Amino acid sequence: MTGLPLSIDQIESHNAARREALQDDYDSLGRQLSRRGQDIETIKSKVAAFSVAVPSWGAGRGGTRFAKFPIPGEPTNIHEKLEDCAVVQQLCRITPRVSPHFPWDRVEDYQALKEEAGALGLGFDAVNSNTFQDQPGQAQSYRSGSLTATDKAVRDQAVAHNIECIEIGRQLGSRALTVWIGDGTNFPGQQDLSASLDRYLDSAAQIYAALPDSWRMLLEHKMFEPAFYSTVISDWGSSILAANELGPKAQCLVDLGHHAPNVNIEQIVARLHRFGKLGGFHFNDSKYGDDDLDTGSINPHQLFLVFNELVEAERNPRDGFNPAYMIDQSHNVTDPIESMLSSAEAIAAAYVKALLVDREALHEAQAANDVMMAFQALRRAYRTDVTPILAMARAEAGGAIDVLDLYRDAGWRERKTQERKAVGLGAGIV
Amino acid sequence: MTGLPLSIDQIESHNAARREALQDDYDSLGRQLSRRGQDIETIKSKVAAFSVAVPSWGAGRGGTRFAKFPIPGEPTNIHEKLEDCAVVQQLCRITPRVSPHFPWDRVEDYQALKEEAGALGLGFDAVNSNTFQDQPGQAQSYRSGSLTATDKAVRDQAVAHNIECIEIGRQLGSRALTVWIGDGTNFPGQQDLSASLDRYLDSAAQIYAALPDSWRMLLEHKMFEPAFYSTVISDWGSSILAANELGPKAQCLVDLGHHAPNVNIEQIVARLHRFGKLGGFHFNDSKYGDDDLDTGSINPHQLFLVFNELVEAERNPRDGFNPAYMIDQSHNVTDPIESMLSSAEAIAAAYVKALLVDREALHEAQAANDVMMAFQALRRAYRTDVTPILAMARAEAGGAIDVLDLYRDAGWRERKTQERKAVGLGAGIV
Amino acid sequence: MTGLPLSIDQIESHNAARREALQDDYDSLGRQLSRRGQDIETIKSKVAAFSVAVPSWGAGRGGTRFAKFPIPGEPTNIHEKLEDCAVVQQLCRITPRVSPHFPWDRVEDYQALKEEAGALGLGFDAVNSNTFQDQPGQAQSYRSGSLTATDKAVRDQAVAHNIECIEIGRQLGSRALTVWIGDGTNFPGQQDLSASLDRYLDSAAQIYAALPDSWRMLLEHKMFEPAFYSTVISDWGSSILAANELGPKAQCLVDLGHHAPNVNIEQIVARLHRFGKLGGFHFNDSKYGDDDLDTGSINPHQLFLVFNELVEAERNPRDGFNPAYMIDQSHNVTDPIESMLSSAEAIAAAYVKALLVDREALHEAQAANDVMMAFQALRRAYRTDVTPILAMARAEAGGAIDVLDLYRDAGWRERKTQERKAVGLGAGIV
Amino acid sequence: MTGLPLSIDQIESHNAARREALQDDYDSLGRQLSRRGQDIETIKSKVAAFSVAVPSWGAGRGGTRFAKFPIPGEPTNIHEKLEDCAVVQQLCRITPRVSPHFPWDRVEDYQALKEEAGALGLGFDAVNSNTFQDQPGQAQSYRSGSLTATDKAVRDQAVAHNIECIEIGRQLGSRALTVWIGDGTNFPGQQDLSASLDRYLDSAAQIYAALPDSWRMLLEHKMFEPAFYSTVISDWGSSILAANELGPKAQCLVDLGHHAPNVNIEQIVARLHRFGKLGGFHFNDSKYGDDDLDTGSINPHQLFLVFNELVEAERNPRDGFNPAYMIDQSHNVTDPIESMLSSAEAIAAAYVKALLVDREALHEAQAANDVMMAFQALRRAYRTDVTPILAMARAEAGGAIDVLDLYRDAGWRERKTQERKAVGLGAGIV
């Protein structure tokens, strides 16, 4: 890993200047936790073992149908994206894997790509197929759907693309295929709602059949967008019933922004685990719809409550517990590297807070219907400032105590602005 | 049925005065439908075969936690409620069954109650249990839940109550038990979300075991209220997974007001049918939450789209198609009889409009991805004024052409105001 | 107007083949309305006087951030868009004006453009400015806002663009400027929420100062998108307070898809009228967010209730009643001409149904708190099938009885597919 | 204040046992804040000056239309409620005022009530009128509205009741009248939406005219419930326009649970302040509707963002800044004293976190459009655990370091269970 993008010396001197203050905060928190019967070192070691993937496309600026505003130095191919993801991983130490997207990340030689990533300290996570856009030269159009299209030729093309993604993923060392489709309708009557699902199940079964034994197929549901009247896999109910029909390797993926307003997402997580189908997460945050905002920026308490279920699930694994974690955000107004750094920290913080819950006290209060004390068990953990634990774990793993400060000091984006070609205007589709 | 509540003569003279105008409208619509390739008489005969149950509690005024405003002449016991339901049925001819609720409708002699109803032209529909309120003298409180309570004695009491309801229903000629529980939490952490469902499944299995072979157990989900953080059976996903665990006699009941904002309910209907678990409906309308407004008063197009799925399902019954229909509304500001009359008509109108959809044209357009023509097939049916078909079917069955006019002319409520004892103020629970 | 796009002969023969059936339906409805005390001819004459504008951009296919799927024969410049709008107007006869958008519709000679439109039977409606996208060669970027940007140079550019739009509009015969900005934030803290509004008011005042006396400035609010945490003009409250500060020529524009879930839009319409600031509408429909679906396709009853307020407002004009009506939809899956034809009919139908409300009966029931009869007054009007009135008015004005049938028979799109250059793939911005 | 309900000795020994640990946490936080350029003592002194009122009705258990489950020892009159509020204030030291509600808290001698409260360490806050329920013996019913009723006699009664509340408030030392009405409709057409507002404004003006010079009239809006189709004062737009019409003493009150889903409440706060009408708050939390859950239990980050606006507003007071703060919750499943203690702490914590925001850094980042650093300025403050500051301020004022622990140790509820008469079953209104 001599190819790490940032200077190790710079990180070390950054940390040296902050270590005394961090040690004071860490020790203080350690004493407080000790008074609460918890060992800060044990918690820290769990952070050290935690990781979350980042998506290759997350390294670029996102946009809306109205416009995209690119930034100078933005990556424009998978090689540059890997480089940016390596910066994230070098600084925060909990994002060691990149999730690629095809055909966006298509290259000639995937073995070479795997080695290129490895040299940057990165591996590959779940592969993502794309049947919601048409590509130049494509034989069939997805304008009327993909895996659920009425035209068999379209479905066949979409199935073949997913199978090709599995093949690429195999070369990259992936172990999962994530399937999200935009299929649905914009008008009542546009399609038969049941027949669309039948076609989905038929297509998905063909993909499932091509899945290696050690792989998982992660089904991602979404309430709406790009379809605005109905969506074939719109909710966790549709998703789990489909996963049940497909078989044990099919599981459900929860994107935090893909639900109806007000829905209790942490209970959906609990339900999916209860029925053996919790496959993983796309982390982000939202206020209105699939806003794809930075994780924890809008409702960090909800993120904590999700991790509270995950920690409970890990302790009570029923049919196993092995969710795939990924950040999936649209970085419309920030430097994507900064957003991924900030979000990775928010995710780890939610996890640590969930670890801090006194589960014995919680379960006792639940059993006794002592509502206030059950709530306080969560509240006490949530209000703890776990920053020192995260920073210490990061520093011990070679990362930076203050990831954003160091990233800015390093001048990475300015350097890349010189090196990389400019991105054109995203004119928007209104 | 000499015991019908309203004068048959009055209905006949009411109809006589309106028949000529109705015939003109009916004939005109018949010619229009004929030009569209449809036979009005066939449609009318389907209306004649259609029915929807009314709930005994619907005969009284509803209220909110803030207040209830009773009306003079309101019924205060099951006998008076049956009388009012008989008025509804006599006028509209499509509400021949009453759904009772226990312990609200408890009597000494259920055989006598069945005969009393029969004399009024009524039978009994699904029985409803109540474990969301405490009753005077009850051994255990439902304050911390019922079927999902942590305390086994509470769960046992709730299970026993449901089994008692089955027994009562057997005597009344019912064939279904509807189970709705308010169990859930108001605070994060209040209960273990998975363990609550485990307890639900265990309790429900005991009830299921007591179900006669010819019966169905209808599971009713609801997003929120009375629980405001989480609800154990909160959505169709939880409901169908529970029904699957319980067995073939367990099915899901859809209340139109029990969903998250913006959710596509007609697709939920299609999904439940697709997976063999569409048990029935509680019809009402809502704008914000479980508002329990009059069916079709807020979004009649959605009601039509639900019936469009039902008509599709009937033509493509997969594992059978036999949903139980019921009105379930809270009549806070109207005379309940008038609301039930108006709502029964709205439901029948939605059904007739769904029957009017040119399904061949629809399916062709769907197959060809001709979005506009698929939508127009629905739109053409929806915009048709089916009032003459409903009125004609009603008149031919002995009901009134204009149900509200006749009801008012009959002076029923004024008479009952003299006869019945006054209801006290509902002070509300804030 | 010898330049009308479709053959008048073809329309006439189309109508001739359908006139007898239409006459039957029209006469039948006339008799029914007469029995209800209403004169069908009077209603028809109001339809003949009704109109709604179409937006130039509505002639093209829309899309989402994920993809746009163009159709063959799509217009790619303002001249082709005018042609397509002329087809809509020739067939439906109630869309005589086009609302242009700058810089999208920029030409060298606006006088010539006005004449070109006139020859097609079209005039121009409100001009729309665009400060939510960057244009090639633009001095300042709108990446951090436009009228509310912290950088004065950006605000100045945005103000100047709006003033240029007024100047263009003057040449085109417009009388209104519609101002919608996407300004807002994606993160808590990103901007000072009050200072942003201060800057908006300051910028808007400069535009207002450039407004000719006979013009109106229409402020369009929107809850979210493209900004996903906060939007400067997010709701009707912000909009009307801004309009009040600006002065009498500033009014509020209601887009039906720009509100929070569950909001009672018809009451917002009533409030804006009550306080003298109801400026106009962007008609469309939505199920989830700003879905920009075809008007009336999802919730036609809501559209009727909006028109019910408009008819009330017209009868009780307080400070005047003169709203600007426009269709504003994103035609992602249909031929835009067909969607505009279908939507114009849906709008006119809602208007006619509102005219059919027996307002004397309604007001009497309201005064007497006779809830059911007040509701029935609306319901009776809503369920009426007003298709024959619309078709008759259209045919008498030279339009087609069945607009979609005739459009398809005319082969317009096929012809344009030969003549127009192809549109490239819209790759989407994720 | 010899009449304080709990033993001062007990509080002192409770604190003594916890002081060392608290001092460690406080000192550690002090050092951390000092490194961030902030002085913990200054912050603590602001907490000491902060207060929030509690409502008299909050001392009792709440419920839903389905049921109310009382607890043993619940207060049943204003005297017992004051006692319970005094417990809250003695322990947390930031709830020195009680907000009474009439006629619920009606007594013979208000001067005596004021003295009774004073002896318990309490004063009185805003008075609340009640025109959403009928009282036994009342001349007119509010079944069809109160301040907006079509019947002048009803409006007169409602106005007179509000004026009586002012008179009572004068005797109690209040300085504000809070007006919330449930007036609205359950059916389209039920009332004229504009005329209802006209009547509201007319009635409210009569109340306003009776307001003493030093008083404020706080208008409280609410989206829905008890009315489920339209509500007269449904949103902040209606509220502020009404307040503007009434005059300078009329201001708007924000209840955190009275908004549409997804709405940005902190921006509403900023808007009300910007236009000089921010009157106060009813604090609670919600997930679905007006759930009236414990403040900060669902979305504490939103509460922080609200206080972030309040701290900004205090620094930039435009037309003054003096909001009235009150807790307004429905304690359906907890001991109300515990919920008020927990909620008061949550409110104070949000305030302290908002004080911790480095506003210079924030404003610089905003000016520079440095989105990430602006967000981080908030995030750094939010993630700080301010518990030690709150506890230290409380202990120094004579309150308890751990309010819930001490309350339970004190055995207050058990004692009151012996002393107070039992509350009957709340049977619910379905």
Side-chain angles (χ1 to χ4, degrees), chain B residues 61 63 65-67 69-70 133-134 143 187-188 224-225 228-229 288 290-292 294 297 330 427 429-430, chain D residues 61 63 65-66 69-70 133-134 143 187-188 222 224-225 228-229 288 290-292 294 297 330 427 429-430:
Chain B
R61 282 272 275 218
R65 62 174 167 138
F66 295 101
F69 297 101
Q133 289 177 327
D134 284 349
R143 64 172 63 240
F187 284 83
F224 72 99
E225 194 208 23
F228 294 113
Y229 165 65
Y288 305 100
D290 185 28
D291 308 333
D292 280 333
D294 280 18
S297 64
S330 185
I429 295 163
V430 183
Chain D
R61 282 271 276 214
R65 63 173 165 138
F66 295 100
F69 298 101
Q133 290 177 327
D134 283 349
R143 64 173 63 239
F187 283 84
K222 183 173 177 179
F224 73 100
E225 196 209 22
F228 293 113
Y229 166 66
Y288 305 100
D290 185 28
D291 308 332
D292 280 333
D294 279 21
S297 65
S330 186
I429 295 163
V430 184

Side-chain angles (χ1 to χ4, degrees), chain D residues 110-405:
Chain D
Y110 291 103
Q111 190 54 42
L113 191 68
K114 188 182 177 187
E115 286 163 17
E116 182 182 334
L120 288 162
L122 298 170
F124 283 101
D125 207 85
V127 286
N128 299 269
S129 58
N130 177 341
T131 62
F132 51 85
Q133 290 177 327
D134 283 349
Q135 308 299 331
Q138 188 179 286
Q140 308 293 330
S141 169
Y142 297 127
R143 64 173 63 239
S144 302
S146 60
L147 294 180
T148 79
T150 53
D151 184 343
K152 184 173 182 303
V154 178
R155 297 199 302 275
D156 287 349
Q157 175 181 288
V159 167
H161 168 66
N162 274 279
I163 293 174
E164 184 203 0
C165 285
I166 296 172
E167 183 44 42
I168 295 172
R170 232 203 266 251
Q171 297 177 55
L172 292 177
S174 290
R175 298 278 291 275
L177 172 71
T178 297
V179 181
W180 173 68
I181 57 168
D183 294 37
T185 70
N186 273 10
F187 283 84
Q190 180 177 340
Q191 278 304 330
D192 181 309
L193 300 176
S194 290
S196 295
L197 183 65
D198 289 341
R199 292 191 293 265
Y200 175 82
L201 291 171
D202 183 71
S203 298
Q206 296 175 54
I207 300 168
Y208 187 91
L211 214 61
D213 283 349
S214 60
W215 276 51
R216 282 188 287 176
M217 180 170 170
L218 301 174
L219 311 183
E220 184 173 358
H221 67 271
K222 183 173 177 179
M223 193 199 199
F224 73 100
E225 196 209 22
F228 293 113
Y229 166 66
S230 73
T231 294
V232 181
I233 304 297
S234 60
D235 55 12
W236 79 273
S238 297
S239 184
I240 196 171
L241 290 166
N244 280 341
E245 296 236 336
L246 290 173
K249 290 185 289 185
Q251 293 189 318
C252 303
L253 188 142
V254 176
D255 183 298
L256 296 183
H258 288 192
H259 306 265
N262 301 346
V263 157
N264 187 320
I265 297 175
E266 52 270 27
Q267 180 163 289
I268 291 175
V269 172
R271 291 285 173 271
L272 289 172
H273 175 65
R274 167 65 180 74
F275 289 100
K277 287 296 187 190
L278 181 61
F281 287 85
H282 277 184
F283 289 118
N284 51 55
D285 212 334
S286 62
K287 188 161 178 62
Y288 305 100
D290 185 28
D291 308 332
D292 280 333
L293 300 180
D294 279 21
T295 311
S297 65
I298 302 299
N299 194 343
H301 190 232
Q302 177 181 265
L303 187 66
F304 162 71
L305 294 173
V306 166
F307 270 98
N308 182 52
E309 291 308 313
L310 293 170
V311 169
E312 283 284 350
E314 193 167 21
R315 293 164 52 109
N316 183 9
R318 298 180 185 249
D319 304 320
F321 174 77
N322 182 29
Y325 297 141
M326 190 178 93
I327 292 173
D328 185 13
Q329 303 169 166
S330 186
H331 305 118
N332 300 0
V333 298
T334 54
D335 180 325
I337 290 177
E338 295 190 2
S339 274
M340 289 195 281
L341 286 170
S342 169
S343 299
E345 178 147 8
I347 293 164
Y351 172 55
V352 173
K353 290 181 180 198
L355 289 172
L356 289 181
V357 172
D358 180 343
R359 296 210 172 261
E360 200 173 329
L362 175 67
H363 295 161
E364 263 177 38
Q366 289 172 341
N369 292 302
D370 185 343
V371 179
M372 181 52 70
M373 288 306 155
F375 169 63
Q376 293 296 331
L378 295 196
R379 182 45 43 105
R380 208 173 298 119
Y382 179 67
R383 73 182 173 211
T384 309
D385 183 355
V386 299
T387 312
I389 302 178
L390 303 177
M392 193 62 88
R394 211 155 48 218
E396 288 178 7
I401 288 178
D402 187 325
V403 292
L404 292 173
D405 265 18

